[in-house]
Amino acid sequence: MAGARRPGTGISDLTAKRVSVYLRCLEDLQADGVTTVSSQALAEKFGLNSAQIRKDLACFGEFGTRGVGYNVSRLKEHLVRELGIDRGRNVVIVGAGNLGMALADYQGFNEHGFHIVALADIDDEKIGRSSRSGIPVLAFDAMPQAVRANSVEIGIVAVPSPAAQQTYDAFADAGLNAILNFAPTQLRTRPGVKVKSVDLRINLESLSFYLKNVEDGA
Amino acid sequence: MAGARRPGTGISDLTAKRVSVYLRCLEDLQADGVTTVSSQALAEKFGLNSAQIRKDLACFGEFGTRGVGYNVSRLKEHLVRELGIDRGRNVVIVGAGNLGMALADYQGFNEHGFHIVALADIDDEKIGRSSRSGIPVLAFDAMPQAVRANSVEIGIVAVPSPAAQQTYDAFADAGLNAILNFAPTQLRTRPGVKVKSVDLRINLESLSFYLKNVEDGA
DNA sequence: GCATGTGAATGGATTCACAGCT
DNA sequence: AGCTGTGAATCCATTCACATGC
């Protein structure tokens, strides 16, 4: 057990999110032919403290060279592996409404290792059709089967709020451990089944709150 | 100046986000005819500490009754005012692709005080058409005019990454102070022009990282 | 000299625990 | 008794500052 380096363990959500952002930046730098970058340079791009960046990166092992900086491609390769996005992950979306359809056709996913295998819905009207880019809409009940058949690892909840919990439970029952939730609801989660929520309403309300404070302060 | 209570000042983003969630819960409780709720009861719903909820709510003034709890409707009314969502806010979306269109038709906005006035795009193919629910697609250059004419306060960036900065700048020039950004880019922001970013890729990568740790831990 | 990696210091946010009101 | 509101204590994240190595 001793000496078994296990980097990537005990890393906070905040750090993981930032690393994701650094990764994107490294891709841009690599595309521009830059080979080396310092924590200082990255810090300026993101308005962060350079120590923070060094700490974040150090979580994954020592990849910098003192007096020089970080090798862009080496660091990138390493982070990709550490984030587990060196291989593709299959995704299924439940809810074939406007949002689900838009997500299915969103190119940003496919370009970066996430492959949308299918949509699913309970609406007979939608079942059997497919998205503009050709992703099929299955019956809700056929989802678990599709998950098994395609080794799906991530489920996206794109249904209206009242159906969100049920969708989460169905994903969990189907064996998924990672869920991205777009419904504005607090889900009752199970241990081991991670949820990330994207809540448009919260974001808009935060902006509204900001505007209100600006108004009142004026 | 003394005694001029100004609640809602100096409240952290984290608190504001949570309050937004409480608010949604209060709406549900009210719909169910519940008149009073305790911090303890709310805490259980969200898996939070009850002291945190009391602290969060106390930021906005003292609204509980000791020995009893909080009056649901009174608290709700108050939070709605404090978040600045007691009146509608007009919104414009730049980018009439899949995502922009889906957002324009998303009912969750209209139901909660956010009114999408128009979409805008540079693509001649799209200009002049409208979303399924009838929201018109204007020329990108007509956006500032639409902002003024409709007293728009919030701008949504739904364009591909390379165009995001330019869209942000155009919003800022048009006088908007609050922007919701869906492009996976780090925007160079101006003072006073608040951005909230919704980054799908970061969320998926976080999930991927979680899955990787589960795999490695097993 | 220059930039990393990291212990120590700081700053915020969360939790504890209790005084005070109903 | 029950529950809020809040100072004190704790925990976690960020920043500082420097020893270490290229």
Side-chain angles (χ1 to χ4, degrees), chain B residues 108-127:
Chain B
F109 291 156
N110 293 309
E111 285 162 18
H112 293 282
F114 296 99
H115 180 230
I116 313 252
V117 165
L119 290 143
D121 206 296
I122 46 162
D123 183 353
D124 285 335
E125 197 67 24
K126 290 170 183 157
I127 297 166

Side-chain angles (χ1 to χ4, degrees), chain A residues 14-144:
Chain A
L14 290 170
T15 298
K17 256 167 86 162
R18 281 193 302 267
V19 169
S20 216
V21 175
Y22 304 156
L23 183 55
R24 192 170 297 158
C25 182
L26 291 173
E27 283 166 6
D28 292 349
L29 288 172
Q30 199 177 32
D32 292 353
V34 178
T35 61
T36 295
V37 69
S38 71
S39 60
Q40 183 63 53
L42 285 171
E44 272 159 27
K45 287 221 183 191
F46 300 118
L48 294 174
N49 181 294
S50 68
Q52 173 139 93
I53 291 181
R54 292 197 298 279
K55 274 241 163 88
D56 286 342
L57 296 180
C59 290
F60 297 98
E62 304 200 359
F63 280 88
T65 311
R66 292 166 193 232
V68 179
Y70 299 90
N71 176 303
V72 171
S73 71
R74 222 167 67 90
L75 181 58
K76 196 198 89 174
E77 294 309 325
H78 200 75
L79 294 181
V80 162
R81 250 198 317 283
E82 288 294 345
L83 288 179
I85 51 177
D86 49 336
R87 65 188 188 76
R89 302 228 182 232
N90 290 335
V91 179
V92 69
I93 299 174
V94 168
N98 285 331
L99 181 62
M101 287 293 196
L103 290 171
D105 290 340
Y106 180 58
Q107 281 313 307
F109 291 157
N110 294 309
E111 285 162 19
H112 293 284
F114 296 99
H115 179 233
I116 313 249
V117 164
L119 289 143
D121 205 296
I122 46 163
D123 183 352
D124 284 335
E125 198 64 26
K126 291 170 184 157
I127 297 166
R129 306 180 67 169
S130 62
S131 78
R132 244 168 290 185
S133 70
I135 294 167
V137 180
L138 309 178
F140 178 76
D141 294 334
M143 180 271 288

